[in-house]
Amino acid sequence: MNFSDWMPDLSHPWTRFALTVVVALAVAGLLRRAVDMVLRRFALRHPRGASIIARAKAPMDVIVPLAMLLLAFRGAPDEPARLIDGMEHVIAVLLIGACTWFLVRCIGALEATVSRFNPIDLEDNLRARRVQTQVRVLSRTGMVVVIVLGLGVALMTFPVVRQFGASLLASAGLAGLAVGLAAKPVLGNLIAGIQIALTQPIRIDDVVIVEGEWGRIEEITSTYVVVAIWDERRMIVPLQYFIENPFQNWTRTSSQILGSVMLWFDYGIPLDPLRDELQRICKDANEWDGRVIVLQVVDASDKAMQLRALVSSSNSGKSFDLRCKVREGLIAFVRREFPEYLPRLRGELESELRAVDAASPPFASKLANVRR
């Protein structure tokens, strides 16, 4: 038996096609290994890109063989055309899906890399919060756009869908208007997300007052914002809310904040000892940042005067704790040193008691008990 008897008949189109598929897969394997070697060297020289390369590895393992198979199917025999066309269509759809997966993974890896190199668990984290907000909002928006485009491209490969889309465009008019109105909330939030990423009225970990609730911006997605309320509740707010409605942002330019404590005391209380005690309380408190400490009389009524203690802290959480310490400390100091100047109702009854005492002793004795 000759060696030529074992050789396949290369003149047959299906034999050449099978050989082309095998060669395409072999080339895909070699090409993937070469790309892996190049990317590993790149990751060693650029550690920040290692995360992106690691996340893109799985999609690349699928994209390269599918791309080579698609090229191989271009040289497939014409018969049977339906089978070949169907397999080629499936490979093309899978390739579109793999490319979409690849882009989404790269965007997510880029977001994770930027977040890792810009941590927000620092005292002065304004720049890190600004960068994280921009990257997170833009990455989520980019993912949505990539997925929608990938799905649209995949659907357009089906002749029925392509003809349906052409007929819709031909008779657009009212249908286009209806689709536009239906998509208005989605598009509005998408545009609002881009506005927030660029102008940054809010950032990750910002302290905000929304609908009367105090909380921190915990997450910003492509359609809504998660606000972590102080009592561990979560408020879900659409992105458009922060573009169309007023709200308070306590950390817009800095996390430093002033806290005030309002107290009512009698007019006769001396203020210098209170100021000394306020100084002592703040200096002993770790929450005070050493910038501001003021005690002033800000209001007065016919019964007492109102004092305001103004103290500063590095962030709103510490400010709340410091205000509680100042309030407790000043009240305890006044109760201990000047109890007679605590707010109370007083009246001059001496002359009235004497007049009533002579006229009606029983009634006078009741008033005397009230006086005591």
Side-chain angles (χ1 to χ4, degrees):
M1 183 177 293
N2 297 328
F3 179 74
S4 58
D5 296 336
W6 295 90
M7 291 293 293
D9 185 7
L10 297 180
S11 62
H12 196 280
W14 282 104
T15 304
R16 291 198 301 269
F17 172 66
L19 185 61
T20 302
V21 171
V22 173
V23 171
L25 291 176
V27 171
L30 294 175
L31 182 61
R32 188 70 191 96
R33 288 189 179 183
V35 172
D36 277 340
M37 293 178 60
V38 173
L39 292 180
R40 286 177 184 176
R41 292 183 179 180
F42 178 82
L44 292 176
R45 296 179 181 178
H46 303 84
R48 296 191 177 187
S51 176
I52 300 177
I53 294 173
R55 293 200 180 193
K57 184 179 184 303
M60 285 295 295
D61 290 339
V62 179
I63 290 175
V64 176
L66 286 176
M68 297 304 297
L69 277 177
L70 189 61
L71 291 176
F73 267 79
R74 297 297 181 182
D78 296 333
E79 296 294 338
R82 181 174 297 179
L83 176 62
I84 296 299
D85 291 343
M87 295 179 64
E88 185 177 353
H89 186 212
V90 170
I91 294 174
V93 172
L94 292 176
L95 181 60
I96 293 171
C99 291
T100 304
W101 181 26
F102 172 77
L103 292 176
V104 170
R105 291 292 294 266
C106 288
I107 294 174
L110 180 62
E111 176 192 345
T113 301
V114 174
S115 300
R116 186 171 66 252
F117 285 95
N118 293 274
I120 61 175
D121 54 348
L122 303 175
E123 189 68 26
D124 186 11
N125 59 359
L126 181 62
R127 179 184 177 277
R129 291 189 291 111
R130 181 185 298 116
V131 172
Q132 282 208 23
T133 300
Q134 286 182 331
V135 172
R136 187 168 300 186
V137 175
L138 291 177
S139 65
R140 302 293 169 82
T141 304
M143 288 180 184
V144 172
V145 172
V146 168
I147 292 173
V148 171
L149 289 178
L151 182 61
V153 173
L155 291 176
M156 291 301 291
T157 60
F158 293 90
V160 176
V161 176
R162 188 163 54 245
Q163 294 174 3
F164 179 71
S167 63
L168 278 181
L169 290 177
S171 61
L174 186 60
L177 180 61
V179 172
L181 292 175
K184 181 180 177 182
V186 177
L187 295 177
N189 281 319
L190 189 64
I191 295 173
I194 297 175
Q195 287 181 283
I196 288 176
L198 297 178
T199 61
Q200 293 195 344
I202 56 172
R203 291 180 291 262
I204 299 297
D205 205 43
D206 264 346
V207 177
V208 295
I209 303 292
V210 180
E211 298 292 325
E213 297 281 2
W214 183 97
R216 291 181 179 273
I217 302 297
E218 184 178 54
E219 184 180 1
I220 301 178
T221 69
S222 58
T223 56
Y224 61 87
V225 176
V226 180
V227 181
I229 309 301
W230 65 272
D231 57 0
E232 298 187 357
R233 291 177 293 149
R234 297 295 185 272
M235 180 184 292
I236 309 301
V237 187
L239 278 175
Q240 283 185 284
Y241 179 93
F242 294 97
I243 301 298
E244 300 174 352
N245 298 281
F247 62 95
Q248 296 184 39
N249 189 335
W250 289 12
T251 54
R252 179 70 179 87
T253 57
S254 173
S255 60
Q256 295 176 339
I257 192 170
L258 297 179
S260 61
V261 176
M262 313 300 290
L263 297 170
W264 289 93
F265 291 122
D266 188 81
Y267 282 103
I269 190 170
L271 296 181
D272 289 338
L274 278 178
R275 290 191 173 99
D276 295 338
E277 180 64 13
L278 179 61
Q279 291 274 355
R280 187 195 65 79
I281 294 172
C282 289
K283 290 179 180 179
D284 291 343
N286 295 328
E287 295 83 0
W288 186 53
D289 62 1
R291 292 187 300 118
V292 178
I293 177 169
V294 177
L295 181 67
Q296 296 173 317
V297 179
V298 295
D299 197 4
S301 69
D302 58 340
K303 300 178 180 65
M305 61 180 178
Q306 188 179 39
L307 305 182
R308 183 185 69 180
L310 196 63
V311 292
S312 61
S313 299
S314 59
N315 58 61
S316 58
K318 291 183 178 180
S319 177
F320 180 82
D321 294 336
L322 180 60
R323 287 164 55 201
C324 293
K325 287 184 177 181
V326 168
R327 187 180 296 109
E328 295 171 3
L330 289 181
I331 292 175
F333 175 76
V334 173
R335 290 183 61 186
R336 183 176 66 250
E337 302 295 334
F338 306 101
E340 66 275 13
Y341 295 125
L342 290 172
R344 64 183 66 186
L345 294 177
R346 293 183 177 86
E348 295 294 338
L349 301 178
E350 295 296 334
S351 59
E352 288 81 359
L353 284 175
R354 293 193 190 97
V356 175
D357 194 8
S360 178
F363 183 72
S365 62
K366 293 181 181 179
L367 288 179
N369 291 333
V370 172
R371 181 182 60 183
R372 287 194 292 268

